[in-house]
Amino acid sequence: SKLFGKPVSEVFGLMCGDLIDCPNCHDELQVCGQTTSCPRCSFFNAISTVCSDGANEAVQEGEAFLERDPEFPAIWVKYKVSSILMNGEKVAIMTIDDITDRKLAEKELNKSEKRFRSFFENSAVAVVIVDQDGHVAEANEIVCQILGYPRSEFIGMHFAQFTHPDDLFLDADLYKSLYKGERQSYKIVKRYVRKDGKVVWGNLSISIIPEIQDLPKHIMVVCEDITERKLMEADLEDAHQRLLTVFHSMDAIVYVADMETYEILFLNRYALNIYGNIVGEKCWQTLYKAKTGPCEFCSNDKLLDAAGQPTGMYHWENYNTKTGRWYECHDNAMPWIDRRMVRLEIALDITERKRAEEAIKESEERFRTLFEETLNPVLVADENERYIDANKAALEFLECDREKLLKRS
C-alpha cells in the first residue's frame, strides 16, 4: 500500500500493470518488451517466467525504477518472484523492497569515486594509496616520475623499498595511531630514494581511507616534491655557517638581534666572553646597563627605508655603560636564515684610541695654556716661513692683532 501509494482495499483485484505506469505499454496485457529499462515489463517477464509450464521452482530477481502516481516520488525497488502451487494452479509470489536510499547512496558514492579518480589522476602532486601491509595499491603518474619507477613496477612495492633508511621509522608511531583511529591524518617531511639511487625530499600529508563495504582500510599519501627547496636550504645553511665562522674569528663584538622584538639571536665568541650566553634575551636589557626600554640611540630606524628594505651600513660610535668601553659600531639590516629581518652589529673596541685622543686633547690644552700665559713673545711659523700662531705677549710686543700677523711672513 505504501509502496504503490494506494489503499490496500484498492490493490486487491488489480492487474499488475495497473500498479505501474509505462507510456510505452498500451494496456494491462500488452507490454513494450523493454525488460531492461521498463519496470512493468520486468515484473511481467519475471512473473511469466516463474509461472511458465516448464519452470521448476524458478526464482526471478531484479531491480527496477518505479514511476508512481504524481503525488508519490519515484523509487528504486528490488523484487524477488517465485512460484507455488495453489489449488493445483501455479501462482507467483513477489516480494518488493524499497532500496531507494541504497541506490542514492551508491549514486553519491559513484560521484565521489569519480571525483577522487579525477583528483588522483590529474593532481599536480604525487598521490599514493598504501594497503594495511604497506604495499602500494595505487599510484598516480607524478609519484612514478618523482621516484623514477614505471607504474607497473611501482604498484605492489613495499614502502620500505623506496624510503630512505634513516627516515624509515621516522613516523612509525604516527602511522600506528592512524590505523588505530587515534588520529585522522598527520604531516611529515621524509626522504625517499629513487630507482637511480638519488635522494628526493617529500612534504607528506598522510590520511586514513576508512573501510568501505568490503574494502579494508587504506592509507592515502599526498606528497609534494620539495627536493629543490631542501637543496637550497642546505646551501643557505652552509653559507650561514661559514658566515658564523667568520664572525667567531673576529676580535670584535658581533651580535644579531631581531629588529621587531629586540631578541638576541646570535653572539660570537668574543661577545660571549664579555656578556655570557644571553641569546634569547633583549639586547637593550643585557648589552647595556640601567635600560628600561629600547635604547634612545638604537640604529634600527636608520637601517631600513620606507619600504622595509635595508639602506646599507650605518657607522657610529658609542660608549657602553655596562662594559665601560668605547666602540666603533657598524650596523646593517639583513634577512636572517629564518627570513626575519635582523640588525647585525659589529662593534670594534676603540677604547685605547679614545684614551689616546683624550690624552692628546689634554696635552694640547696644557700647551695652549702655557703658550698663552708665558711672558716671553712666542711666534710659530710653518716651513714656508709664514706665521701660523702667536701668543699674547708676541702680539703686544709687535703691536699687531692675530689676524693681521697671520697674513705676514
Side-chain angles (χ1 to χ4, degrees), residues 111-297:
K111 288 181 180 179
S112 178
E113 288 177 349
K114 287 181 178 179
R115 287 194 296 266
F116 175 77
R117 177 56 57 181
S118 176
F119 160 76
F120 189 82
E121 296 296 342
N122 301 311
S123 175
V125 294
V127 184
V128 182
I129 306 298
V130 181
D131 65 21
Q132 290 180 322
D133 297 322
H135 293 93
V136 175
E138 190 61 87
N140 67 355
E141 188 60 31
I142 299 296
V143 71
C144 296
Q145 293 174 6
I146 292 174
L147 293 176
Y149 286 95
R151 189 171 180 276
S152 59
E153 183 179 352
F154 189 63
I155 300 298
M157 289 182 64
H158 194 275
F159 71 85
Q161 293 177 258
F162 50 84
T163 303
H164 193 284
D166 293 341
D167 291 354
L168 189 56
F169 301 103
L170 195 62
D171 59 336
D173 292 338
L174 292 171
Y175 194 83
K176 289 178 182 177
S177 67
L178 199 64
Y179 258 114
K180 290 179 180 179
E182 296 171 354
R183 64 175 64 242
Q184 293 300 311
S185 63
Y186 66 90
K187 294 185 178 182
I188 196 169
V189 173
K190 295 179 72 172
R191 289 169 293 176
Y192 293 94
V193 181
R194 285 173 47 89
K195 186 176 182 178
D196 58 13
K198 294 180 181 179
V199 175
V200 293
W201 285 86
N203 183 23
L204 312 182
S205 295
I206 303 173
S207 56
I208 191 79
I209 301 177
E211 296 179 7
I212 301 176
Q213 296 180 355
D214 297 331
L215 297 177
K217 290 181 181 178
H218 280 68
I219 295 293
M220 182 171 71
V221 181
V222 179
C223 175
E224 176 192 5
D225 185 357
I226 57 170
T227 305
E228 289 189 13
R229 191 186 84 190
K230 279 293 184 178
L231 292 175
M232 291 177 61
E233 289 176 355
D235 291 342
L236 181 61
E237 178 63 27
D238 288 343
H240 182 71
Q241 291 302 322
R242 289 195 295 271
L243 180 64
L244 298 188
T245 300
V246 172
F247 289 161
H248 281 307
S249 67
M250 297 177 67
D251 288 330
I253 293 176
V254 181
Y255 76 91
V256 173
D258 187 302
M259 295 188 71
E260 291 188 4
T261 66
Y262 301 96
E263 176 191 357
I264 295 176
L265 306 176
F266 169 80
L267 290 113
N268 69 342
R269 277 190 285 269
Y270 187 95
L272 287 168
N273 291 334
I274 296 173
Y275 296 105
N277 188 4
I278 54 174
V279 172
E281 301 184 35
K282 296 187 183 300
C283 56
W284 54 266
Q285 289 179 325
T286 51
L287 299 179
Y288 299 94
K289 186 166 60 176
K291 293 291 182 183
T292 58
C295 305
E296 63 278 6
F297 48 80

Side-chain angles (χ1 to χ4, degrees), residues 77-92:
V77 296
K78 180 179 181 179
Y79 62 86
K80 183 176 182 180
V81 183
S82 59
S83 64
I84 63 172
L85 289 173
M86 183 178 291
N87 298 324
E89 182 181 2
K90 187 178 287 187
V91 298

Side-chain angles (χ1 to χ4, degrees), residues 6 30 48 63 76 88 157 159 171 216 239 249 320 351:
K6 295 181 181 295
Q30 184 179 7
S48 298
E63 295 179 357
W76 275 95
M157 289 182 64
F159 71 85
D171 59 336
S249 67
N320 189 301
T351 304

